[in-house]
Amino acid sequence: MSEQSTTHFGFRDVPVGEKQKLVGQVFTSVARNYDLMNDLMSFGIHRVWKRYFVGISGIRSGDRVLDLAGGTGDIAALLKPIVGEQGEVIVGDINAAMLNVGRDRLTDRGVVAGLRWVQSNAEALPFPDNSFDAVTMAFGLRNVTDKDKALADIHRVLKPGGRALVLEFSKVRNELLGKLYDFHSFQVLPRLGRLFARDADSYQYLAESIRKHPDQGTLKGMMENAGFERVEVRNLSQGIVAIHRGYKF
């Protein structure tokens, strides 16, 4: 990435140094409507995907887990009962507005103990080596400027035997479904964003960012290059999303 002067922001090329700011503006804009955004993008199925993601994670009581791009607290709320009183969930997100939304939401639900909220960049995590039993990242990796650097740092902070789990929009496997999904993403979603959130541009970017994200095989190779072993890929909903899981040995 350091050798490149530009990177993608949706379908636009922008200077590498500007992408983080531009992505930050998007998520600051949509923070209060983030659940609505996900409902519009996934027809509400994102809630099922997230429960399945946590259900197959292998995370156990007493584990210390880092949930990246977890600002709204959805994954943390599912993880906390699993790790229990002896475990800990640290929610990391680069965007302060997203963290505030998630912290307020879980505090209102009485989910406070055993949770920490840390504003952090996935490319340069502020944690020592070998700190976590698991790192989760749901619908956040595609917005990272340097994905290879982020994956390498996730590997660094995992304990030996720990696992990384990434849930992300991916490459649809069914041709007809893919055409319907493209129509929804580029023709319907921005209009819904304008109607319900008064923000068509952010929703347009989010649709474009999905198409620029590495497909299942490419991301699997990137995780292996970052040092992960036994990398597995599991498609959900015909590949609209995929779960990638890899281990640090």
Side-chain angles (χ1 to χ4, degrees):
M1 183 66 70
S2 61
E3 297 178 355
Q4 300 176 6
S5 59
T6 63
T7 186
H8 61 83
F9 174 73
F11 290 162
R12 285 195 291 139
D13 289 332
V14 298
V16 169
E18 289 188 12
K19 179 172 179 177
Q20 182 175 308
K21 180 183 71 174
L22 292 169
V23 171
Q25 290 171 350
V26 169
F27 281 90
T28 297
S29 174
V30 304
R32 291 291 169 185
N33 293 300
Y34 191 69
D35 280 345
L36 171 63
M37 179 195 76
N38 280 331
D39 285 334
L40 295 177
M41 291 179 72
S42 71
F43 307 101
I45 306 173
H46 72 98
R47 302 171 192 275
V48 178
W49 292 336
K50 289 172 181 174
R51 288 187 177 278
Y52 185 78
F53 175 64
V54 171
I56 68 163
S57 67
I59 293 168
R60 298 169 294 185
S61 177
D63 280 353
R64 189 167 189 248
V65 182
L66 172 63
D67 180 41
L68 289 174
T72 58
D74 290 354
I75 301 298
L78 296 171
L79 287 171
K80 189 61 191 71
I82 296 174
V83 302
E85 294 182 2
Q86 301 304 313
E88 182 181 32
V89 178
I90 296 178
V91 182
D93 201 299
I94 197 170
N95 189 279
M98 296 289 286
L99 282 172
N100 289 336
V101 167
R103 183 170 51 232
D104 291 348
R105 177 184 297 166
L106 294 197
T107 299
D108 289 345
R109 291 167 53 184
V111 183
V112 178
L115 280 177
R116 280 206 288 144
W117 304 80
V118 179
Q119 188 171 2
S120 57
N121 186 339
E123 298 175 21
L125 296 170
F127 306 107
D129 297 355
N130 308 318
S131 294
F132 298 98
D133 298 289
V135 178
T136 58
M137 194 173 195
F139 303 117
L141 184 61
R142 73 182 188 279
N143 298 304
V144 174
T145 302
D146 192 332
K147 297 173 180 61
D148 291 311
K149 190 173 182 181
L151 291 170
D153 220 37
I154 290 170
H155 186 273
R156 177 186 65 81
V157 301
L158 278 170
K159 298 176 183 178
R163 72 203 70 192
L165 299 112
V166 177
L167 171 65
E168 189 55 89
F169 289 102
S170 200
K171 177 70 173 177
V172 179
R173 292 315 196 191
N174 181 281
E175 184 177 353
L176 177 59
L177 178 60
K179 291 179 179 179
L180 292 172
Y181 184 50
D182 283 345
F183 178 80
H184 170 74
S185 298
F186 295 111
Q187 301 301 321
V188 178
L189 181 61
R191 290 176 171 84
L192 292 175
R194 182 183 297 112
L195 178 63
F196 290 104
R198 299 181 180 178
D199 186 358
D201 290 344
S202 292
Y203 286 73
Q204 178 74 28
Y205 158 74
L206 291 164
E208 292 175 0
S209 71
I210 293 170
R211 302 320 189 276
K212 299 295 289 186
H213 185 67
D215 65 13
Q216 290 90 329
T218 303
L219 182 53
K220 180 176 185 289
M222 291 169 65
M223 291 183 68
E224 291 169 341
N225 290 338
F228 290 100
E229 300 181 42
R230 288 173 49 191
V231 179
E232 307 164 341
V233 182
R234 189 171 305 200
N235 287 316
L236 305 181
S237 301
Q238 293 290 321
I240 291 178
V241 300
I243 298 171
H244 285 68
R245 175 167 54 188
Y247 296 83
K248 176 181 177 177
F249 293 122

